[in-house]
Amino acid sequence: MSTEAFAPDRPYRLSPSVALRPEPFGALVYDFTTRKLSFLKTRLLVDVVHALEEAPDAHAALRSAEVPDGQHGQYLDALAGLASAGTIEVRGD
Amino acid sequence: MSENHTVTTAEADIEEDLLVEEVSIDGMCGVY
Amino acid sequence: MKLVEHFQHGLDAPICLTWELTYACNLSCVHCLSSSGRRDPRELSTAECKAVIDDLQRLQVFYINIGGGEPTIRSDFWEIVEYAVDHQVGVKFSTNGVRITPERARWLAESDYVDVQLSLDGATPEVNDPVRGDGSFDTTMTAMRNLREAGFTGFKISVVMTRHNIGQLDEFKRIADEFDAQLRITRLRPSGRGADTWDELHPLPEQQLELYDWLVAHGEDVLTGDSFFHLNALGSTPLPGLNLCGAGRVVCLIDPIGDVYACPFAIHDEFLAGNVRDEGGFTSVWRESELFNRLREPQTGGACSSCSAFDTCQGGCMAAKFFTGLPLDGPDPECVKGNGQRALELVGAGAPKPTPDKDHSRPGKKKQSGVPVAIGWGPPEPERLPDRACDTSPLAGMPSPKEMR
């Protein structure tokens, strides 16, 4: 679990203890440490999570995955949830 | 019945809006 | 769409699965769902097990729950566990604790992604040992102490609920808390040797409500493997979990000889999808089996579809119905509305019931007597058993399942 609040101006990545399995409807994400299964409900969110790895911050990942402007708030909320669950974490580079 | 149904539908709508759903699968597949 | 709806239609790969590595067991529990005892000469070799793990890695199966028999008595058990974890397949294994020495407990405490589930069916030896065997309570408690001393926290204590231990629910929880472990309670099925003992062991109708209330009160603190969704009709609060039968949709069983069944409680030809030794391996079985594809189609409620509780209980457990001789589209034998009881009476005591396949019980293992808890045992064990497991068909002389439907 992350103790830090989600900060969209920082770089993130999928946590090393997490496996992401693509599915036709989005993706399943399993955390080997917490043994929780998360369901990413849209392919766009899966694209965003992948984009995090290369993006300088979460805002940039949203743009790179071409999330429509009107949905940025919703996707940042989703990322905040994933960060607090430990699914994604701040990238230290 | 109809009242309950309305509540359920409203809850479903809220869940539809969420992009992430989380469940614990820790107890699954373990048998006896 | 919610996750559970996707699950209903099945996935391209299981979420997790049960893998029984051997039919050999040091115990002979009276409710054993796989009628374990003796090793089967056809069991998968180490290399074959590793090939299955390679398949599971490609499919991104998140974890396997290894059971048996007693899996830890396979000489290559720890090698297989390490191989799985090194290939991104998480492992939980179910054990009676017989091989959890202090040294092994330390190894486990240091291993990431390996979880342990210990079986305990009574909070006292007086309740546990008549079901699991003399001395089995002490064996499991010793294993738990070894894990605690090694600093392994969060392991699972798994209890099969019977009419004799429902009154011990708080005591089980206290034991789990004392060991910083997690309590997991599951439903007794009439599978394996359980077919013979279910009548005497399954919770009484009035205990179902006690169990439901206890589960509602404890919420997500207690794991259930989603096994009690048939109790949902008892109240307005759904039990935590997916409340879905995942058989062939998101879970399955691989048995020691590589046979793939829809569910660990359904070791019978009727629920056999294929074998991992078949061409295409596990992946083909999972994706192409006619049985699995049928289970992923929308299910009709049959006789239950007009019941007000059908949405929450979904007709209950397929295996429980099958092995009590009830139709699969009718009520569960433990239907909380009493429909199962009525259906069982209609089936009648003399009607043929499907017999669990593959009996690996050890010969000469007499059921215990003179134990403090009064449990009436089922029919006596057959006098003569084949020298080797599966030398004779367990169905010899029985009508085929299709005739019974």
Side-chain angles (χ1 to χ4, degrees), chain A residues 4-29:
Chain A
E4 286 175 74
F6 175 67
D9 54 350
R10 300 187 66 185
Y12 280 83
R13 64 170 185 183
L14 209 57
S15 299
S17 65
V18 164
L20 187 146
R21 181 168 118 183
E23 298 285 347
F25 47 79
L28 291 172
V29 176

Side-chain angles (χ1 to χ4, degrees), chain C residues 203-246:
Chain C
L204 297 168
E206 60 269 25
Q207 291 178 316
Q208 305 270 47
L209 185 61
E210 187 182 344
L211 179 56
Y212 170 82
D213 287 341
W214 196 89
L215 281 170
V216 169
H218 287 81
E220 299 198 2
D221 273 358
V222 175
L223 302 174
T224 63
D226 245 2
S227 63
F228 292 114
F229 60 86
H230 68 297
L231 298 180
N232 273 327
L234 284 169
S236 54
T237 313
L239 298 173
L242 294 168
N243 290 313
L244 162 91
C245 169

Side-chain angles (χ1 to χ4, degrees), chain C residues 27 39 79 127 142 150 180 185 216 227 248 253 309-310 323 371 396:
Chain C
L27 299 180
R39 198 184 86 85
E79 182 185 347
V127 175
T142 301
D180 207 355
I185 67 173
V216 169
S227 63
L253 166 76
F310 182 68
F323 287 119
V371 289

Side-chain angles (χ1 to χ4, degrees), chain A residues 44-93:
Chain A
L44 192 52
L45 181 58
V46 182
D47 291 345
V48 169
V49 169
H50 282 308
L52 284 174
E53 308 278 336
E54 301 291 326
D57 59 55
H59 288 300
L62 261 55
R63 285 192 301 272
S64 144
E66 299 179 15
V67 175
D69 286 345
Q71 294 177 26
H72 276 222
Q74 193 192 0
Y75 276 80
L76 286 175
D77 285 349
L79 290 180
L82 291 173
S84 75
T87 310
I88 59 171
E89 62 178 27
V90 171
R91 204 171 68 224
D93 57 20

Side-chain angles (χ1 to χ4, degrees), chain C residues 21-34:
Chain C
L21 272 185
T22 180
Y23 279 116
C25 192
N26 54 310
L27 299 180
S28 43
C29 305
V30 301
H31 58 13
C32 181
L33 60 99
S34 53

Side-chain angles (χ1 to χ4, degrees), chain C residues 38-294:
Chain C
R38 294 175 299 167
R39 198 184 86 85
D40 191 304
R42 300 166 297 172
E43 288 179 4
L44 299 180
S45 67
T46 310
E48 286 174 315
C49 289
K50 289 181 177 176
V52 170
I53 292 167
D54 292 343
D55 227 4
L56 302 182
Q57 179 183 22
R58 278 189 292 272
L59 290 172
Q60 282 192 275
V61 173
F62 297 121
Y63 76 86
I64 50 179
N65 197 310
I66 302 181
E70 172 53 46
T72 62
I73 63 182
R74 247 187 94 126
S75 58
D76 56 1
F77 175 71
W78 306 106
E79 182 185 347
I80 290 168
V81 169
E82 277 192 305
Y83 189 86
V85 171
D86 289 346
H87 289 78
Q88 287 78 52
V89 178
V91 172
K92 184 184 314 229
F93 66 91
S94 303
T95 177
N96 56 47
V98 67
R99 291 287 160 90
I100 310 295
T101 59
E103 185 191 12
R104 187 52 69 184
R106 285 191 291 276
W107 182 86
L108 287 165
E110 284 165 16
S111 306
D112 287 335
Y113 310 155
V114 180
D115 196 10
V116 185
Q117 175 179 309
L118 285 147
S119 304
L120 195 70
D121 292 337
T124 53
E126 289 72 27
V127 175
N128 180 80
D129 289 6
V131 172
R132 303 190 55 82
D134 282 342
S136 59
F137 182 85
D138 289 342
T139 301
T140 304
M141 293 301 280
T142 301
M144 282 162 52
R145 279 191 289 271
N146 290 343
L147 288 169
R148 180 174 57 188
E149 275 154 32
F152 192 123
T153 59
F155 63 86
K156 311 297 177 294
I157 299 174
S158 187
V159 182
V160 182
M161 297 318 300
T162 67
R163 67 184 62 172
H164 305 293
N165 67 17
I166 281 196
Q168 295 186 316
L169 277 165
D170 288 332
E171 188 65 5
F172 283 119
K173 185 72 172 75
R174 195 195 57 72
I175 293 173
D177 291 346
E178 182 192 322
F179 283 91
D180 207 355
Q182 190 166 24
L183 181 61
R184 173 181 186 274
I185 67 173
T186 58
R187 182 180 179 192
L188 174 77
R189 310 306 208 294
S191 311
R193 284 195 292 271
D196 294 337
T197 49
W198 185 82
D199 281 343
E200 288 84 24
L201 290 179
H202 78 86
L204 297 168
E206 60 269 25
Q207 291 178 316
Q208 305 270 47
L209 185 61
E210 187 182 344
L211 179 56
Y212 170 82
D213 287 341
W214 196 89
L215 281 170
V216 169
H218 287 81
E220 299 198 2
D221 273 358
V222 175
L223 302 174
T224 63
D226 245 2
S227 63
F228 292 114
F229 60 86
H230 68 297
L231 298 180
N232 273 327
L234 284 169
S236 54
T237 313
L239 298 173
L242 294 168
N243 290 313
L244 162 91
C245 169
R249 295 161 161 168
V250 297
V251 299
C252 68
L253 166 76
I254 303 177
D255 96 334
I257 65 169
D259 278 341
V260 181
Y261 293 92
C263 154
F265 297 101
I267 301 181
H268 191 283
D269 268 350
E270 191 78 3
F271 302 101
L272 177 62
N275 189 287
V276 300
R277 284 166 169 148
D278 298 344
E279 198 180 337
F282 175 80
T283 305
S284 295
V285 176
W286 179 265
R287 293 189 176 161
E288 288 156 30
S289 144
E290 268 180 54
L291 167 73
F292 283 2
N293 283 304
R294 203 163 66 236

